[in-house]
Structure formats: structure tokens, C-alpha cells
Amino acid sequence: AACGLAAAKPPAEVRLELVGGSNPGVYQASADQPACSQNLVGAGSWGVQLTDWKGPKAGLRSLQLLVPSAKAQDQFYLGLVFGDFFTGIAREIETRPASPRPKGHGRVTIEPSPDGATLRIAGVTQDSVAITATIACNIPRAEKESSR
């Protein structure tokens, strides 16, 4: 088993802060399975599907992020679920122009790295909850090499 600095990073890690609403605070979660996809819906796009059932019961359980183009960083979908998946608290920001139900506003910044990318989100939901999130997408080298 690996230990110390040699241990593999989780496929995705998120740190999220909510200001306002019924569940303000700082939340952290990580994925056991691959969670980040580059070029998911077109060149330059990013998608993140992170589910964490190991964390605190009232914690961040699910995060979905879709950024159709790294060049249009004010166009994205962010969906969050806290607590129980069916009865928990959901927060959304939807700014993609083709969306039938836009909600809130914000911006995503994508910082590529040798191990994947860091995605930073700053936005406000339709009901005025401020969301700041940092998602570290760690893509294993073996996956990158096999996709060549």
C-alpha cells in the first residue's frame, strides 16, 4: 500500500463555501471513482460528476458541473445536493444560453495542470446563496497515456 507523498490523489476533490440560505458553511468532498471529463460535450468542455456518500450525513453529497466551452466561462451548469439525495437541499446555477430555465449567475475559471485541471467557480443562485468552489480534477497518467 502506498503511503505519504507517494499515495495517489483522489480523482476529484472539492472545497465549497456557501454564504446565505439554510445551510451556509464550508463543505469538502472527494471522489473514489473518476469524476472529471475533458472534451465531454465538445472541444474545450469540462464535466464533473462527483458523488460522496462517505462524508457527513448533512454534507455535500453530489456535485455536477458542465462547462460547454473553456472560452465562455460565464456559461455553465452547477448542481449541488446536500444531505439525502431525495429530501436534501439542492442548489443550482444554470447560465447556459440554450437552457429553458436559467437560474443565478457566475463564472468558472479553468486552470490546466500536468495532472488535470483546477476549476474555480464563483456564483450566486437564484435565491441569493453565494457559492465559491474549487474542484481539483486529478487525471491519472495511465489514463492520459492510454487515450493517446
Side-chain angles (χ1 to χ4, degrees):
C3 63
L5 297 175
K9 294 179 182 176
E13 299 171 281
V14 62
R15 183 185 187 282
L16 177 79
E17 183 173 0
L18 298 182
V19 177
S22 59
N23 63 326
V26 175
Y27 297 85
Q28 292 183 295
S30 62
D32 289 334
Q33 302 296 319
C36 301
S37 301
Q38 193 172 7
N39 303 320
L40 181 69
V41 295
S45 67
W46 277 90
V48 179
Q49 171 61 59
L50 183 144
T51 305
D52 182 0
W53 296 113
K54 304 177 317 299
K57 186 170 169 117
L60 175 62
R61 296 303 187 126
S62 176
L63 178 148
Q64 290 183 321
L65 175 66
L66 184 58
V67 184
S69 171
K71 293 178 182 169
Q73 296 180 349
D74 59 340
Q75 298 176 15
F76 65 95
Y77 170 78
L78 175 66
L80 307 168
V81 176
F82 300 87
D84 182 83
F85 196 77
F86 297 104
T87 60
I89 298 169
R91 303 275 180 223
E92 289 183 298
I93 297 176
E94 169 64 276
T95 64
R96 295 174 295 175
S99 171
R101 295 184 308 177
K103 301 175 183 178
H105 61 275
R107 184 167 189 78
V108 175
T109 305
I110 301 169
E111 302 166 7
S113 72
D115 295 330
T118 299
L119 291 77
R120 299 183 195 283
I121 304 147
V124 179
T125 65
Q126 187 172 333
D127 56 348
S128 301
V129 175
I131 299 173
T132 307
T134 301
I135 304 168
C137 287
N138 303 309
I139 301 170
R141 292 192 193 285
E143 274 185 38
K144 288 182 190 174
E145 290 171 7
S146 68
S147 66
R148 284 184 190 164

